[in-house]
Amino acid sequence: MKRFALFLTAMLLVLCMMTSALANATVSSSVVLEGSIYFNSEANTFAYRAEYGEPYQIMDAQNQPLTEAIFYDISVNRGMYEVTVGEGENCKGIVDGRGVEMVPAQYGDVDVISDRWQLGIRFTAGTVDNYDYKSWSQDDVFYLVDTVDVYFCGQMVGSVTRTEYDYVSAYGNFICIKSRDNHYYFYNKDFVKSTYPETDSSSEYQYDYDTEIITHVGSNTPAFCEGCTLTEGEVEQSIYVRSKKGLALDGTVLFDLSDEVDYVDQFRGNYARVEKDDKYGLIDRNGNIVLPIEYDDIPVVDYSDYPFFHQGYQPVEKDGCIGIADMSGNLVYLSRYSGDVARIYNFPFIDVEDTNGEHIVISIAGEFPERFTEARFYGNAQIFTAKNSEGKWVVRDISNNDVITPFEADYASFNVSNDGSMLSVYVDGEDTLYNVSIDGSFTPLGDLPSLSCACGYTTDEMSFNYCPMCGTQFEK
C-alpha cells in the first residue's frame, strides 16, 4: 500500500520521460495519484482510493474506473481481487481482475484457488481454546469454519463441512479437497465426487505399476489410452511421459525417444527436459528437439505451469556458465558467470551479486556495463528497476536504455506488471503510473573487457570486484 496525489501530468512530462525510439520499452502515457493502491500485476489493473477510510474502486491501466468505489478492503490473489463490501464479519467476496463478481460478498473469508476455482468460507462461533479465525476488530471474538462453498468460474457448485476441508488443489476442471483427517477427495466442475478409492495423495493421476494403467483421479477413468474421453482443456497435464514415450490423452504415441536419450522429464507447459550423457535439452510436445542436448543444465525459471521460454528465450548453463538460448536452439549469449552465483527467478533478466554486494545484470542483449547497489525484477517483464552507483533510481529495458529519466530520492518503490506494460513509481508521497509500450526488440550490448589485477591475474570468467588470487580490487 502506498500514498499518491491525483492529477493528470502535462504532456511535457510524458515527453521528457520517454526514451529514444531505439529503446525497446517507451512510456506512452502517465498519471500521478494520491491515496492508496493495490497493484494487480497479472491483470494490469489496480485498486485505488483517494483518501484513507474511503472505499476502493478498481481502475484499468489508463486510469479509467472499472467499478464503483465500494470495496472497504481489498487484496490481490492469483490475478483476482479478494474484497470486503460494507462492515461486519460476513462481507467478503471475490471479483476478477476487471471487477466482475466471482464470489458474492457474503462470507467471513474467501480464497482464490485457480483461474477457475474459488472458495467462500462461512463462520460459526468459536472460543479462545478452539478457533480457526480471530476477529480483526474484537480481541475476544473467535470463529470456526462452518461450511465452505465451492465456486467454479463464478458459479457456486457445492459445499463441504469443516471436517471435510483443510487444503484445496485445482487441476483444470477438477478440484482436490484434503480433509482434516488427511484424506483426499476429488470433484468435477459440477461438484460430483470422484468414485476413485480413497487416496492419500493429491496427484492428478495415479499409475498402477502392476497393470500399467494411468488413472485420472478426478473422473476415475483411464487416461492416456485408447477410449479416453478427457480433453486437454479439462485437465492440467495432457501429456504423460512413460518409458521415454510421450502419450496423448487418447493414447496416441506422440514421440518415442527410447533410443535417443537417457531420460525424459514430465512436461511443464509445452516443453520437457531431456537428458543424455549428463547433458540436457528441451523437447516440444511432438518430441522435437527444441534446445540441443548439449547443456550442463536448463534451469526452471519459475514454478508456474509454463516455466520455459519466457518471452521466447530460455536460460541455459554451458561450460559452467549461464547463457541464454532462443526458440530456434541458438545460443544467443553466454555470460562469464556460473550457475552457482546467477539468479534467474525473473527471466528475461539474470541477476549476479558480486562479492561487494553489487548487482550485475544480464539480459538477452548481454551484460550491462554498470553495477547496481539495488535491483528488482518483475514477472516476465522486459524492464527492471534499480539504484545505480551514483545513487540514482533507474528503470531500464533489456538493452540498458532508460525507460524514465533517472532520479535521486532517499526512498522509492516500484510496481511493474508481469508483462511490463504498467509501471508505478512512488516518490515523496506520490506515485506516478506509467503505461509502457514494449516492442520486444533489443540492441546487443557487446562484450565487456577482461578484468586485470596488478598481480598479473586476468580473467574473463568472473567479474567480481576483488581478485581471487591476492584480494586486490580489480581495475574496471
Side-chain angles (χ1 to χ4, degrees):
M1 188 181 297
K2 302 185 224 134
R3 303 219 169 260
F4 295 73
L6 181 61
F7 63 92
L8 287 176
T9 54
M11 205 58 199
L12 179 60
L13 172 63
V14 177
L15 293 174
C16 73
M17 290 301 217
M18 293 178 66
T19 56
S20 71
L22 296 177
N24 85 298
T26 55
V27 171
S28 56
S29 64
S30 65
V31 62
V32 179
L33 300 171
E34 178 181 73
S36 305
I37 77 164
Y38 280 100
F39 207 77
N40 192 328
S41 297
E42 294 184 38
N44 285 0
T45 59
F46 63 97
Y48 167 75
R49 67 181 180 189
E51 294 183 9
Y52 181 79
E54 292 185 355
Y56 290 91
Q57 64 183 142
I58 297 173
M59 316 283 285
D60 66 16
Q62 286 71 45
N63 198 39
Q64 297 301 309
L66 297 171
T67 69
E68 300 294 326
I70 58 174
F71 306 120
Y72 284 88
D73 193 22
I74 196 162
S75 61
V76 178
N77 188 358
R78 299 177 188 271
M80 297 187 185
Y81 293 97
E82 297 178 354
V83 299
T84 299
V85 179
E87 299 179 356
E89 300 294 344
N90 296 299
C91 50
K92 291 186 177 180
I94 298 172
V95 298
D96 70 11
R98 298 190 65 81
V100 177
E101 182 180 271
M102 304 299 289
V103 174
Q106 61 188 30
Y107 294 96
D109 196 15
V110 291
D111 195 9
V112 179
I113 306 302
S114 72
D115 61 338
R116 305 182 196 184
W117 293 94
Q118 305 86 36
L119 303 178
I121 303 169
R122 297 185 184 276
F123 291 166
T124 189
T127 68
V128 66
D129 298 318
N130 184 27
Y131 68 92
D132 300 313
Y133 291 84
K134 185 177 180 179
S135 172
W136 285 96
S137 57
Q138 304 176 71
D139 291 338
D140 58 347
V141 176
F142 303 89
Y143 301 99
L144 288 168
V145 172
D146 184 16
T147 58
V148 179
D149 292 341
V150 181
Y151 287 77
F152 179 77
C153 295
Q155 298 295 318
M156 181 178 166
V157 293
S159 298
V160 293
T161 65
R162 180 178 185 271
T163 57
E164 295 172 316
Y165 164 76
D166 183 49
Y167 184 78
V168 179
S169 304
Y171 302 98
N173 285 1
F174 298 84
I175 195 170
C176 173
I177 303 179
K178 177 188 174 186
S179 67
R180 290 181 181 264
D181 58 359
N182 293 321
H183 296 297
Y184 296 83
Y185 301 94
F186 284 76
Y187 301 82
N188 66 12
K189 64 183 179 64
D190 298 316
F191 212 64
V192 176
K193 183 184 288 187
S194 172
T195 57
Y196 188 86
E198 188 175 284
T199 176
D200 59 358
S201 169
S202 62
S203 299
E204 185 177 17
Y205 299 97
Q206 293 289 341
Y207 177 68
D208 189 312
Y209 287 93
D210 294 328
T211 63
E212 296 188 345
I213 293 175
I214 305 166
T215 302
H216 179 258
V217 181
S219 60
N220 193 22
T221 58
F224 306 104
C225 62
E226 186 177 355
C228 176
T229 58
L230 294 167
T231 63
E232 289 188 10
E234 295 178 283
V235 300
E236 191 80 17
Q237 180 181 348
S238 59
I239 296 179
Y240 196 91
V241 177
R242 186 175 66 185
S243 302
K244 307 174 194 174
K245 297 178 182 179
L247 304 177
L249 284 165
D250 63 3
T252 301
V253 178
L254 300 173
F255 59 83
D256 184 352
L257 300 178
S258 302
D259 299 327
E260 300 179 44
V261 300
D262 299 330
Y263 181 75
V264 182
D265 203 354
Q266 294 295 341
F267 274 77
R268 299 281 301 277
N270 294 320
Y271 303 96
R273 298 202 321 169
V274 292
E275 179 183 359
K276 183 176 183 180
D277 299 330
D278 294 325
K279 297 293 183 181
Y280 296 89
L282 283 181
I283 59 171
D284 65 16
R285 294 167 71 92
N286 293 315
N288 300 312
I289 302 292
V290 180
L291 286 185
I293 310 171
E294 60 185 35
Y295 296 104
D296 303 331
D297 192 18
I298 298 179
V300 175
V301 173
D302 58 36
Y303 293 94
S304 69
D305 297 331
Y306 296 89
F308 300 115
F309 282 119
H310 288 301
Q311 306 288 354
Y313 296 90
Q314 174 64 34
V316 294
E317 187 170 347
K318 187 172 185 177
D319 300 330
C321 296
I322 284 291
I324 300 171
D326 64 19
M327 297 186 72
S328 297
N330 302 310
L331 187 63
V332 177
Y333 181 78
L334 186 64
S335 78
R336 44 188 175 181
Y337 307 103
S338 75
D340 295 331
V341 298
R343 293 177 294 192
I344 49 176
Y345 304 121
N346 297 94
F347 198 70
F349 294 101
I350 297 172
D351 179 27
V352 178
E353 187 173 343
D354 69 15
T355 53
N356 199 37
E358 292 186 327
H359 294 266
I360 301 164
V361 176
I362 299 167
S363 76
I364 55 179
E367 179 181 338
F368 291 20
E370 188 175 9
R371 300 293 180 260
F372 303 96
T373 58
E374 298 181 33
R376 287 189 61 189
F377 308 89
Y378 308 85
N380 306 315
Q382 291 192 12
I383 61 176
F384 75 102
T385 64
K387 194 172 189 179
N388 65 18
S389 58
E390 298 176 355
K392 292 184 177 181
W393 296 98
V394 300
V395 181
R396 299 277 175 83
D397 66 16
I398 55 177
S399 298
N400 199 29
N401 297 302
D402 288 316
V403 178
I404 62 174
T405 302
F407 61 91
E408 295 182 3
D410 292 336
Y411 173 80
S413 64
F414 305 85
N415 279 304
V416 179
S417 62
N418 288 351
D419 65 1
S421 66
M422 193 167 74
L423 159 73
S424 69
V425 183
Y426 170 69
V427 181
D428 296 333
E430 295 180 350
D431 195 4
T432 305
L433 182 71
Y434 299 93
N435 286 307
V436 181
S437 299
I438 298 175
D439 64 18
S441 65
F442 67 92
T443 303
L445 297 175
D447 296 329
L448 294 178
S450 299
L451 303 176
S452 61
C453 177
C455 74
Y457 182 81
T458 301
T459 180
D460 57 7
E461 298 294 330
M462 288 288 184
S463 178
F464 291 157
N465 283 350
Y466 297 94
C467 174
M469 299 298 291
C470 69
T472 303
Q473 187 170 5
F474 276 124
E475 299 175 5
K476 296 184 178 180

